[in-house]
């Protein structure tokens, strides 16, 4: 495609189908989250289970808890969080850093503030297909300076997953996914292709923008926009300040979903088995019997 056409309008632009304002609520141990996916009005947006914009100040946090059957993607916006699990994996995720955790057959971990003041970030839960739900746990961690970034015509993107503006992420996505952190300067326009068969959404972090149609009204921070069908998204910044948002898309799994808190499987029988496995420290949860995080011990 010629360079001058790379910011053209989509042949079939995706319009905003639904909009939700993510209001603050309590979660974990004293943490505050703005939950946009995984709430009463939107329990599941295939393949996405949860999207939280979290804010946590010590001693609050997310102490020892299990997961099975999906992936968690933690993207820090401010401050830092210490993570540790029952496999001995431990580290700190700082501002701009990414952790892509595949819980698979089972993990028990904690996520707690690692610095003074308020730590802020995003956590996205991505469902795994039935064939991948019981794979071994895995981590992909990328520091802020290693996340691919590109700038063109007043548009800057950090490519968490997928590709945009010629930059491509090294992250391997078991459920095909794009995750893009865009900033548009005033008067800038973006066109981003999205596979037409995927579900996609926008979550606005700062400022306000016009999404889908140039005639649409502007949308402000903390709003989730579910996008309709089409082959791409157009965004305009008609304000006097920059707008920052994430654009996330994923291939539909089109499989049954049965969720019990941090366990996500395909049938109730599998959920019952998972609860039994966790309660009895079997089938992936063996190390949970004697493990406690440093945060829980101290």
């Amino acid at each position: 495609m010629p360079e001058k056409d790379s910011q053209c309008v989509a042949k079939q632009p995706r319009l905003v189908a639904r909009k939700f304002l993510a209001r603050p609520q309590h979660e974990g141990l004293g943490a505050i989250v703005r939950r946009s996916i995984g709430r009463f009005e939107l329990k599941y947006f295939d393949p996405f289970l949860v999207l939280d914009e979290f804010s946590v100040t010590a001693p609050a946090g997310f102490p020892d808890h299990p997961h099975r059957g999906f992936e968690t993607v933690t993207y820090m916006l401010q401050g830092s969080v210490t993570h540790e699990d029952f496999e001995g994996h431990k580290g700190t995720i700082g501002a701009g850093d990414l952790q892509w955790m595949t819980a698979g057959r089972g993990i028990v971990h904690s996520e707690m503030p690692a610095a003074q003041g308020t730590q802020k970030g995003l956590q996205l839960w991505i469902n795994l297909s039935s064939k991948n739900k019981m794979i071994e746990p895995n981590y992909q961690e990328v520091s802020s300076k290693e996340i691919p970034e590109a700038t063109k015509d007043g548009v800057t993107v950090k490519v968490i997953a997928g590709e945009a503006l010629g930059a491509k992420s090294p992250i391997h996505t078991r459920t095909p996914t794009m995750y893009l952190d865009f900033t548009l300067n005033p008067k800038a326009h973006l066109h981003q292709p999205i596979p037409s068969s995927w579900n996609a959404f926008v979550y606005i972090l700062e400022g306000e923008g016009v999404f889908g149609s140039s005639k649409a009204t502007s949308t402000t921070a903390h709003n989730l926009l579910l996008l309709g069908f089409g082959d791409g998204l157009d965004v305009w910044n008609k304000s006097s300040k920059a707008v920052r948002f994430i654009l996330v898309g994923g291939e539909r799994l089109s499989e049954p979903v049965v969720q019990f808190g941090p366990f996500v499987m395909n049938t109730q029988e599998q959920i019952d088995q998972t609860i039994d496995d966790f309660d009895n420290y079997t089938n992936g949860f063996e190390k949970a019997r004697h493990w406690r995080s440093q945060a829980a011990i101290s």
Side-chain angles (χ1 to χ4, degrees):
M1 179 181 290
E3 184 70 14
K4 64 180 181 180
D5 293 335
S6 63
Q7 289 287 83
C8 64
V9 176
K11 294 179 181 179
Q12 187 182 356
R14 289 184 181 239
L15 303 179
V16 176
R18 298 177 72 186
K19 180 172 79 171
F20 299 93
L21 176 63
R23 302 181 186 279
Q25 66 182 58
H26 291 278
E27 188 75 14
L29 180 64
I32 302 295
V33 303
R34 291 179 180 267
R35 179 161 296 170
S36 48
I37 300 175
R39 55 199 268 174
F40 177 77
E41 308 96 314
L42 185 62
K43 291 186 177 180
Y44 184 53
F45 187 51
D46 192 4
F48 306 110
L49 296 153
V50 167
L51 177 65
D52 283 344
E53 179 183 4
F54 64 85
S55 177
V56 57
T57 304
F62 305 97
D64 305 6
H65 59 280
H67 293 297
R68 174 182 276 181
F70 60 98
E71 299 183 297
T72 67
V73 182
T74 304
Y75 182 41
M76 291 301 298
L77 303 175
Q78 173 184 308
S80 56
V81 167
T82 293
H83 164 275
E84 57 178 312
D85 71 20
F86 68 0
E87 293 285 352
H89 185 90
K90 184 177 181 179
T92 299
I93 315 167
D97 294 348
L98 169 73
Q99 182 193 77
W100 198 291
M101 184 188 81
T102 303
R105 67 197 300 256
I107 203 82
V108 178
H109 74 158
S110 70
E111 300 152 297
M112 301 296 288
Q116 297 297 314
T118 302
Q119 329 302 313
K120 296 182 179 181
L122 299 171
Q123 188 166 94
L124 176 68
W125 292 13
I126 306 174
N127 201 8
L128 287 169
S129 66
S130 55
K131 68 179 181 180
N132 286 326
K133 284 192 176 296
M134 295 297 286
I135 62 176
E136 291 296 320
N138 182 63
Y139 292 89
Q140 299 176 82
E141 295 174 321
V142 185
S143 68
S144 176
K145 64 182 180 181
E146 295 172 323
I147 293 176
E149 184 173 326
T151 300
K152 181 183 178 184
D153 298 334
V155 177
T156 297
V157 63
K158 296 179 180 179
V159 185
I160 309 303
E163 56 184 304
L165 302 184
K168 186 174 182 179
S169 169
I171 291 290
H172 169 66
T173 60
R174 289 164 181 78
T175 300
T177 304
M178 63 187 298
Y179 188 147
L180 308 172
D181 176 1
F182 281 108
T183 299
L184 272 63
N185 291 333
K187 299 183 180 180
H189 165 242
L190 164 73
H191 167 66
Q192 174 60 41
I194 304 169
S196 58
S197 61
W198 289 15
N199 277 334
F201 68 84
V202 164
Y203 185 77
I204 302 156
L205 295 171
E206 301 172 18
E208 60 182 282
V210 177
F211 297 84
S213 168
S214 61
K215 298 179 181 179
T217 57
S218 62
T219 306
T220 56
H222 312 303
N223 274 287
L224 176 85
L225 306 178
L226 300 187
L227 304 178
F229 296 105
D231 60 11
L233 174 67
D234 286 282
V235 184
W236 295 263
N237 184 355
K238 299 183 179 183
S239 73
S240 60
K241 297 181 180 180
V243 58
R244 184 184 181 188
F245 60 91
I246 59 167
L247 170 60
V248 180
E251 184 175 85
R252 299 181 185 91
L253 297 178
S254 301
E255 294 181 350
V257 175
V258 182
Q259 181 173 357
F260 183 79
F263 305 137
V264 183
M265 303 301 288
N266 298 111
T267 68
Q268 185 59 50
E269 290 76 16
Q270 291 170 342
I271 288 292
D272 293 341
Q273 182 62 55
T274 297
I275 295 170
D276 187 68
D277 291 341
F278 179 65
D279 287 345
N280 292 288
Y281 310 108
T282 58
N283 199 22
F285 290 109
E286 290 83 355
K287 294 181 180 180
R289 181 185 295 273
H290 303 294
W291 181 81
R292 297 293 182 274
S293 68
Q294 284 299 120
I297 295 172
S298 59

